[in-house]
Amino acid sequence: MSLQATMNAPCATGRVARRSVKVSAISAPPTPARAPSATGSVKRAMTMTEKILANHSDNAAVKPGDNIWTKVDKLMTHDVCGPGTFGIFQKEFGPNAKVWDNERVVIIPDHYIFTSDARANRNVDILREVAGKYNIKYFYDITDRSNFKANPDYKGVCHVALAQEGHCKPGEVLFGTDSHTCNAGAFGQFATGVGNTDAGFILGTGKLLIKVPPTMRFVMDGEMPEYLQAKDLILQIIGEISVAGATYKAMEFSGSAIEGMNMDERMTICNMVVEAGGKNGVIAPDQTTFDYVKARTQEAFEPVYSDGAANYIADYKWDVSKLEPLVAAPHSPDNRKKARECSDVKIDRVYIGSCTGGKTEDFLTAAKLFHRAKRQVKVPTYLVPATQKVWADVYTLPVPGCDGKTAAEIFEEAGCITPAAPSCAACLGGPRDTFARMNEPEVCVSTTNRNFPGRMGHKEGQIYLASPYTAAASALKGFVCDPREYM
Amino acid sequence: MLAAQKRALVAQRPGRQSCVRVCAKVSKKDGEPRVIRGKCFVTKDNIDTDQIIPAEYLTLVPSKPDEYEKLGSYALIGLPDDLYTTRYVKDGQMKTEYPIIIGGQNFGCGSSREHAPVALGAAGAKVCVAESYARIFFRNCIATGELYPCETTVRLCDELQTGSEVTVDMDKNVLTDHSTGKTYQLQEIGEAGPVIDAGGIFEYARRQGMIKTA
């Protein structure tokens, strides 16, 4: 057998060989010596994040700490920050300026939509105005607030919509005027949140000055127990390193548990990178990624992978089979506790929704637990599908192993409140009349991403962040509850 | 901490107004020292953007002048009342008495909303001195030019009290507490300084000839 057949040669994009190979002997071909002056820039080993940024800048290679100008593939904005972003763009680049590329700006109203607040509604009108003025190709408009289904373009929560509409692609650079833009790192791209001014700058130039972050590696190995979800893994990590543990850093997630996850679960993990202070999160793209992306866009993409010899500033490793369902107790996402250790905490409500925990997978799994338990919730249980597509899935997809029932049917049988119109809703409080906003000081178990004081409305509200399983179990118990009690 | 806040209230001398000309953005003139004197407002660790400017006020668009002013009136209104008995902006007022904010670790964590540094700047904050910042907030302070995000290795939030008169000298990198006479070392503001002096990234870029005005 020739050596070539026994070796997994790295492919052109520098992909790391995954399978270990027994190599008995290597004979390298002789290479001529190169004079130092002729070598130019040295090709150094880089992490995925570094490579993506190098590819998008004028540098063959970059290293952490470098300040570089990066080209931008997509810029996303929504109703809270869009008006301000375009206001800055118009002020700084002038009334006759055009955006750098009208097909690379995605405008997604999602935050304060189903409200009578006049200013919130005006902000969506402003988005419509700028989308028209600048001929923005992707504007997911809503005009009929009384019936979300009557709006063919409206999608819902921006980060989930970006993925579902095929805007997330391996190897690309995405900026958004929202901290959870890091969600898209699940697709093996560089994605992070910026403010209105930076976004206004991108609108005019298609570039941004950023500092290359060093990468922390988190390896999640082993087989996921049936009661454990991606949310438990990211809460484990944030609890470990704290809310500032990854400040200015990239978080790279790998391991067999990650590889076994679908895109919804991978997004949940990358979504909360910002809760650890992280700049961006990445997961190496694989067939799961390619299948998802190719089903949603014809546009080409080039996946990028970390070099085997790349430098990581920190390495963490977990055997997920040993982990337990967690919550983040009030008032910080790093206030990690085991769900079973909070069983004496009486709760007033449960919320399942948001970009973090309102995707199809989140609702299907919550429904699965309700179905297995065969009883009714003890507290008001609010359900907010992130997008129109998720809402449709909740009403049409049979939940695996549940006698052909849909999630909506199971939720109704369990006594949950009817799933609401897709939007960010109460994840961040919002105007007073927002669906499920916490207007009294209550205790809530939520599949959302932050639990700082006042996050869901009332300053004295107590929010326990949890996985869909834990949220569903808690709804059934009326207390914070480990999902194993119903499995 | 409640006792400390009470002491600060008692220590305030009502006859001595700290005359701070409060205005939007920093816009320091060339040659002027980068020095700010005034009353300080002390906060602790992990002050997140929901506490700086609660989400319900995000319908205000910062690039509209009247809404910009309104944002300022709500600055730090999300701070829990039991921990912070002194409001950053008094009820019914539009501007703050405290041009200097003291923070602990991870100041400005949470959302990417630029409304956070904008609300602080619109209220009249000129400089924040904290142990560390969340990255998007830090970036937004500089891009907007709304306030200087100064860093210090000293845990000033445990040393200073709300209402104390202090001077933040970003040329000499020293903070002076006039109520005690003590001085504290500050980190260099570095490249961020000139950008904020100019009033933000666009104005700075224009003055440097980096972009032509359209």
Side-chain angles (χ1 to χ4, degrees):
Chain A
M1 204 191 300
S2 76
L3 265 170
Q4 289 303 334
T6 57
M7 264 176 74
N8 279 350
C11 70
T13 52
R15 186 194 177 121
V16 177
R18 289 254 168 75
R19 310 255 173 270
S20 61
V21 171
K22 261 192 136 180
V23 177
S24 49
I26 299 176
S27 160
T31 46
R34 294 167 75 192
S37 57
T39 48
S41 56
V42 178
K43 194 104 176 92
R44 54 187 294 274
M46 290 190 282
T47 64
M48 210 155 97
T49 298
E50 291 158 26
K51 266 198 204 169
I52 295 169
L53 294 177
N55 291 347
H56 283 75
S57 69
D58 293 324
N59 313 288
V62 301
K63 61 184 189 303
D66 287 349
N67 290 314
I68 57 154
W69 285 98
T70 178
K71 288 198 268 293
V72 178
D73 290 303
K74 286 261 160 77
L75 174 72
M76 183 281 296
T77 191
H78 48 51
D79 53 301
V80 166
C81 296
T85 296
F86 276 91
I88 290 170
F89 169 69
Q90 288 164 341
K91 173 170 174 265
E92 303 293 349
F93 290 94
N96 299 321
K98 291 195 181 3
V99 304
W100 102 96
D101 188 330
N102 65 328
E103 298 195 5
R104 293 188 180 278
V105 181
V106 188
I107 302 182
I108 313 182
D110 65 348
H111 273 54
Y112 304 153
I113 305 299
F114 304 103
T115 171
S116 57
D117 185 299
R119 252 200 323 259
N121 299 332
R122 172 216 55 184
N123 288 345
V124 179
D125 292 341
I126 293 175
L127 291 184
R128 191 172 309 112
E129 193 193 303
V130 299
K133 175 171 175 159
Y134 297 105
N135 200 21
I136 301 296
K137 183 172 180 184
Y138 302 106
F139 169 49
Y140 301 133
D141 195 5
I142 177 164
T143 47
D144 184 351
R145 278 187 298 279
S146 66
N147 176 13
F148 70 90
K149 283 177 265 178
N151 303 276
D153 294 330
Y154 179 70
K155 308 294 172 201
V157 176
C158 58
H159 306 300
V160 183
L162 278 174
Q164 290 181 334
E165 297 306 307
H167 294 298
C168 299
K169 305 208 288 291
E172 293 205 344
V173 168
L174 162 73
F175 288 100
T177 58
D178 192 276
S179 58
H180 293 109
T181 307
C182 49
N183 184 81
F187 290 85
Q189 60 177 136
F190 178 86
T192 193
V194 290
N196 297 1
T197 301
D198 278 336
F201 187 90
I202 294 172
L203 274 179
T205 64
K207 290 185 168 179
L208 193 65
L209 181 65
I210 62 167
K211 194 184 286 283
V212 177
T215 302
M216 301 173 76
R217 181 164 48 187
F218 301 88
V219 181
M220 318 300 287
D221 267 336
E223 203 179 307
M224 287 284 278
E226 61 157 3
Y227 46 82
L228 211 67
Q229 295 183 281
K231 183 68 169 278
D232 296 301
L233 299 197
I234 190 63
L235 287 180
Q236 177 77 30
I237 293 170
I238 296 169
E240 193 71 26
I241 66 176
S242 92
V243 287
T247 300
Y248 284 103
K249 302 183 178 91
M251 296 175 74
E252 191 175 304
F253 305 98
S254 58
S256 55
I258 303 289
E259 285 163 29
M261 287 182 180
N262 60 23
M263 292 315 297
D264 273 5
E265 288 280 84
R266 295 181 191 191
M267 281 193 266
T268 301
I269 292 190
C270 289
N271 180 285
M272 290 186 74
V273 154
V274 65
E275 267 58 80
K279 185 161 184 151
N280 68 298
V282 275
I283 292 177
D286 56 12
Q287 201 55 50
T288 305
T289 324
F290 304 145
D291 290 345
Y292 186 102
V293 174
K294 286 182 180 164
R296 289 157 179 81
T297 177
Q298 308 282 37
E299 290 176 16
F301 56 86
E302 190 158 327
V304 159
Y305 299 94
S306 294
D307 292 327
N311 213 29
Y312 293 89
I313 52 155
D315 255 294
Y316 290 81
K317 196 167 187 162
W318 275 282
D319 175 357
V320 302
S321 66
K322 299 200 164 59
L323 298 181
E324 299 186 64
L326 299 172
V327 293
H331 297 275
S332 179
D334 66 3
N335 192 8
R336 179 184 68 185
K337 295 193 202 298
K338 296 205 170 85
R340 61 177 169 82
E341 287 170 354
C342 298
S343 55
D344 59 335
V345 177
K346 192 167 195 305
I347 66 173
D348 300 303
R349 50 162 67 194
V350 165
Y351 185 95
I352 301 179
S354 81
C355 51
T356 317
K359 305 184 292 297
T360 299
E361 171 82 8
D362 304 309
F363 286 106
L364 293 185
T365 50
K368 221 188 324 179
L369 189 139
F370 282 135
H371 186 261
R372 234 196 256 200
K374 292 191 183 355
R375 51 208 88 183
Q376 301 242 304
V377 296
K378 292 207 165 78
V379 294
T381 301
Y382 300 92
L383 310 169
V384 187
T387 63
Q388 291 232 42
K389 176 137 202 340
V390 174
W391 189 95
D393 288 346
V394 164
Y395 275 88
T396 58
L397 290 184
V399 182
C402 295
D403 316 317
K405 292 201 170 127
T406 65
E409 284 168 334
I410 296 170
F411 290 141
E412 195 182 322
E413 280 169 12
C416 300
I417 296 169
T418 307
S423 80
C424 298
C427 171
L428 72 160
R432 293 280 150 146
D433 63 347
T434 302
F435 178 79
R437 186 183 195 277
M438 213 194 294
N439 293 321
E440 302 296 316
E442 295 191 342
V443 182
C444 176
V445 174
S446 173
T447 63
T448 54
N449 43 60
R450 290 202 271 265
N451 58 349
F452 295 114
R455 173 67 178 173
M456 291 184 90
H458 200 282
K459 269 207 258 189
E460 272 119 64
Q462 312 231 14
I463 302 161
Y464 288 77
L465 304 176
S467 74
Y469 279 154
T470 304
S474 303
L476 293 170
K477 197 76 186 279
F479 287 77
V480 173
C481 181
D482 187 305
R484 283 173 285 189
E485 277 198 41
Y486 295 99
M487 288 184 132
Chain B
M1 204 197 306
L2 204 61
Q5 298 282 12
K6 280 190 177 148
R7 263 184 277 130
L9 284 170
V10 166
Q12 268 175 9
R13 288 165 285 178
R16 190 156 181 266
Q17 300 289 337
S18 34
C19 250
V20 180
R21 219 191 76 228
V22 175
C23 61
K25 292 193 193 272
V26 172
S27 286
K28 183 182 83 66
K29 292 188 185 54
D30 278 337
E32 245 182 38
R34 201 181 286 136
V35 175
I36 295 163
R37 179 174 174 138
K39 289 200 285 189
C40 71
F41 186 90
V42 180
T43 65
K44 295 290 182 173
D45 298 319
N46 300 320
I47 302 298
D48 76 289
T49 46
D50 280 300
Q51 292 180 67
I52 296 174
I53 185 76
E56 62 187 291
Y57 303 113
L58 297 184
T59 50
L60 297 163
V61 176
S63 52
K64 292 182 182 298
D66 55 331
E67 295 184 23
Y68 173 90
E69 292 296 324
K70 269 201 116 171
L71 270 175
S73 69
Y74 297 122
L76 288 169
I77 206 172
L79 291 174
D81 299 319
D82 54 342
L83 295 175
Y84 297 90
T85 50
T86 308
R87 283 264 299 262
Y88 185 66
V89 178
K90 279 198 170 59
D91 213 357
Q93 301 277 328
M94 295 295 284
K95 302 286 179 189
T96 184
E97 293 171 21
Y98 312 93
I100 297 154
I101 298 172
I102 306 295
Q105 300 202 354
N106 205 19
F107 190 91
C109 61
S111 165
S112 66
R113 65 188 72 148
E114 214 169 72
H115 305 68
V118 166
L120 294 176
K126 291 247 188 279
V127 58
C128 181
V129 185
E131 281 180 270
S132 63
Y133 296 88
R135 57 161 286 269
I136 312 179
F137 178 84
F138 184 83
R139 222 192 138 80
N140 287 344
C141 282
I142 299 167
T144 58
E146 288 290 351
L147 75 165
Y148 296 96
C150 234
E151 287 170 86
T152 174
T153 51
V154 184
R155 202 158 162 76
L156 284 180
C157 59
D158 287 342
E159 300 263 335
L160 302 176
Q161 285 162 36
T162 295
S164 295
E165 182 95 1
V166 306
T167 294
V168 180
D169 186 330
M170 284 175 278
D171 293 328
K172 300 200 177 76
N173 302 313
V174 173
L175 181 148
T176 308
D177 178 0
H178 297 293
S179 65
T180 61
K182 280 173 103 171
T183 59
Y184 305 89
Q185 188 75 18
L186 300 173
Q187 311 272 66
E188 282 244 12
I189 191 85
E191 297 281 12
V195 178
I196 301 166
D197 292 343
I201 193 80
F202 279 107
E203 192 51 44
Y204 177 78
R206 264 192 291 272
R207 291 186 193 180
Q208 298 291 311
M210 280 166 71
I211 52 172
K212 301 199 305 275
T213 35

